[in-house]
Amino acid sequence: VKEMKKKKQQQSNDSDDDPPIESIVLLAKSHLLGFYVQCGFRVNRPSPIVHGKELWYELEQSCTDATQLQSLPKEDESWFCKMEQFKRPYPQVKPFLEEHNQWVQKLRDEGQCITSGYRVDKDGKPGGGGLMFLAAKSYQEALDIVKNDPLVSNDC
């Protein structure tokens, strides 16, 4: 996805005859749909492509929508990943999840390149932890951001 978006950005400077990239289409299993939707993809349909026994879904993200969130790191940034497993029982963690969601939204509103979602169990049910990708200039900058996550600061 990152390489396709880079190509899209470079097209304005290139003189080749490739048509502009209008969207990115990918296939995903059901347990990853929430993650990709939070990354800006929409679910089009169950995929007609069969691979193994599980159902796959077709997702798409427009490359022409000017209202999209920043979805790639800046030139001086790299991706960092935070994966967590809840330390406390889910009912004790649940009150902090809304604070976490508001915190992530605030970072997005401030221009931070970030996406997060629930990890799921073998049955595809959320609630055991989370996964977050964020762009930062250094490990220390990413760590400082993550330490402000309400789930982290409240030792969930």
Side-chain angles (χ1 to χ4, degrees):
V1 172
K2 185 175 181 179
E3 290 304 314
M4 292 178 77
K5 286 192 172 191
K6 276 186 183 179
K7 182 176 180 182
K8 165 95 172 120
Q9 291 170 348
Q10 292 170 349
Q11 282 179 342
S12 60
N13 299 328
D14 294 344
S15 60
D16 60 32
D17 294 329
D18 289 341
I21 297 172
E22 295 179 13
S23 68
I24 299 168
V25 176
L26 64 84
L27 300 179
K29 293 182 181 178
S30 62
H31 70 278
L32 292 172
L33 295 179
F35 172 76
Y36 285 115
V37 167
Q38 286 192 353
C39 291
F41 285 84
R42 73 172 180 272
V43 180
N44 286 341
R45 62 185 177 157
S47 175
I49 296 171
V50 176
H51 180 73
K53 294 181 180 180
E54 293 184 57
L55 181 62
W56 290 74
Y57 292 85
E58 179 183 290
L59 295 96
E60 184 172 12
Q61 183 179 63
S62 171
C63 293
T64 58
D65 183 2
T67 63
Q68 284 184 358
L69 301 171
Q70 179 189 343
S71 58
L72 292 175
K74 297 173 184 164
E75 288 293 319
D76 60 346
E77 294 177 329
S78 297
W79 283 116
F80 291 88
C81 178
K82 175 192 86 146
M83 186 168 67
E84 64 196 23
Q85 183 169 347
F86 296 149
K87 297 177 183 178
R88 300 188 202 172
Y90 183 73
Q92 293 177 16
V93 172
K94 190 174 178 182
F96 298 104
L97 287 174
E98 184 56 35
E99 287 182 48
H100 165 80
N101 292 336
Q102 291 171 359
W103 174 77
V104 170
Q105 187 59 52
K106 180 178 178 277
L107 290 173
R108 286 183 185 137
D109 293 345
E110 294 170 353
Q112 177 70 44
C113 184
I114 186 170
T115 189
S116 68
Y118 294 107
R119 289 177 47 212
V120 296
D121 64 17
K122 64 181 176 58
D123 298 320
K125 295 179 183 173
L131 182 68
M132 175 186 295
F133 291 94
L134 67 141
K137 293 179 182 177
S138 68
Y139 173 83
Q140 188 61 51
E141 181 180 321
L143 184 60
D144 291 344
I145 292 169
V146 167
K147 284 180 179 178
N148 290 311
D149 181 341
L151 291 172
V152 174
S153 62
N154 289 289
D155 201 33
C156 293

